[in-house]
Amino acid sequence: MVAYLRFPPPAAQRDVVEHYWMVEAPGSAQVQREILIPNGRPALAVALAEPGHRHDPVSGAHWLNDASLFGIMTRPNVLTQSGPSSYAGVELKPWGVAALGVADGLVDGVVSLDSWLGPGTTYRLAEALRGQEFGADRADALAAFLEPHFRPLEIDLVDRAVRLIDESRGGLPVATLAAEVGTSYSTLHRVFSGLTGVGPKKFSEIVRFFHFVGGLLDGPSDAAATLAALHGYYDQAHAARDFKRYTGVSASSFRAVENGIAALMHERSVQDSTGSARPR
């Protein structure tokens, strides 16, 4: 069984962190392949067992998934894993990469911890996390590691825009969005893209698609047309094009594969009985 836990951040990090997470899964005789769905959030992941590999099917880039900071994705990443897996990580607010002082936003990009913070960082952090129990103590250790690297940002305008986009599941027209936050669209685009690396329109598209996939995972196989309408697509063909663009495969192919990580991102997993998220 896959064990997956999420923990809210410490109070001091609530403006930059969505949640801390950890996952463990037993090994398999076959190589496991997972399609990672863009959700509009940067993330950091640290392998505590044998790391898998990530692959960008659009650019052809691939890298070891040992300890890396990832920016907002606008296209799919594929994770392949063999043997038992154990990861600890953090999902950041959309401006989290900027809060960590990485200037280019890392949109569709990745930087290893050793490249970012110096040689040996990956080894020391992984050892420290392995020394903590699977649960809140491990999440606290990762939060303590990241705390000195966060820097203050002026996020009010972008924070309000992101909340509205999330509440509408990406369905709010950009002109309405700008009016709701009380500014011009040009100003909103400049500030939003400056902090996140993507504009509000692109961010809305990512959020809309993320929720579309969540419905597809939960719904019957003939629900695609209904979901397309519910999530603001012009028609089923429009939804299908976006699906192929964001995942690299058709919706039917996606459903035919065990996409456990995609399901975890939509909170469809059964948490490990050894622990649960505690309040902070």
Side-chain angles (χ1 to χ4, degrees):
M1 177 184 292
V2 176
Y4 173 72
L5 293 175
R6 299 200 321 180
F7 297 90
Q13 297 181 7
R14 288 175 186 163
D15 283 345
V16 289
V17 171
E18 296 280 6
H19 58 261
Y20 287 90
W21 58 266
M22 59 199 65
V23 60
E24 290 185 346
S28 171
Q30 297 180 330
V31 174
Q32 300 297 300
R33 180 176 180 270
E34 301 279 355
I35 300 171
L36 305 182
I37 306 302
N39 70 347
R41 268 64 178 176
L44 180 145
V46 182
L48 306 182
E50 188 69 23
H53 288 80
R54 284 208 186 204
H55 171 66
D56 182 337
V58 175
S59 69
H62 59 87
W63 57 92
L64 191 67
N65 195 35
D66 54 352
S68 302
L69 174 66
F70 302 89
I72 290 175
M73 294 191 300
T74 69
R75 55 183 187 243
N77 271 190
V78 177
L79 174 63
T80 56
Q81 181 82 38
S82 59
S85 63
S86 176
Y87 290 89
V90 57
E91 183 169 289
L92 300 164
K93 299 286 188 178
W95 49 86
V97 169
L100 288 169
V102 180
D104 64 2
L106 287 181
V107 175
D108 286 321
V110 57
V111 61
S112 71
L113 259 65
D114 284 2
S115 296
W116 172 35
L117 298 175
T121 302
T122 295
Y123 175 80
R124 291 190 296 271
L125 177 58
E127 284 293 293
L129 295 178
R130 288 188 198 103
Q132 302 295 331
E133 293 286 338
F134 181 89
D137 289 345
R138 187 173 288 178
D140 287 343
L142 183 54
F145 168 81
L146 286 175
E147 179 62 33
H149 302 289
F150 289 123
R151 63 190 182 97
L153 297 173
E154 177 52 59
I155 63 168
D156 180 63
L157 181 66
V158 178
D159 184 34
R160 285 186 285 132
V162 166
R163 290 176 187 273
L164 288 168
I165 292 169
D166 283 340
E167 288 170 2
S168 69
R169 298 193 168 194
L172 199 64
V174 291
T176 304
L177 178 65
E180 288 286 334
V181 298
T183 190
S184 66
Y185 180 69
S186 60
T187 297
L188 177 61
H189 185 276
R190 174 177 54 81
V191 176
F192 199 105
S193 59
L195 284 184
T196 70
V198 298
K201 183 177 180 180
K202 172 62 70 176
F203 186 82
S204 296
E205 291 173 356
I206 294 168
V207 169
R208 178 176 62 181
F209 179 77
F210 177 73
H211 286 288
F212 175 75
V213 172
L216 190 67
L217 287 167
D218 284 331
S221 58
D222 61 354
T226 301
L227 284 170
L230 289 174
H231 291 287
Y233 288 98
Y234 299 120
D235 52 32
Q236 189 172 347
H238 182 204
R241 286 193 298 272
D242 257 16
F243 199 94
K244 186 68 177 287
R245 177 159 65 96
Y246 281 119
T247 68
V249 298
S250 68
S252 58
S253 296
F254 180 82
R255 289 178 60 92
V257 176
E258 179 58 39
N259 283 280
I261 293 179
L264 289 176
M265 293 174 72
H266 287 276
E267 301 181 24
R268 295 180 64 243
S269 66
V270 176
Q271 291 192 344
D272 187 349
S273 61
T274 62
S276 59
R278 71 180 185 192
R280 294 178 185 269

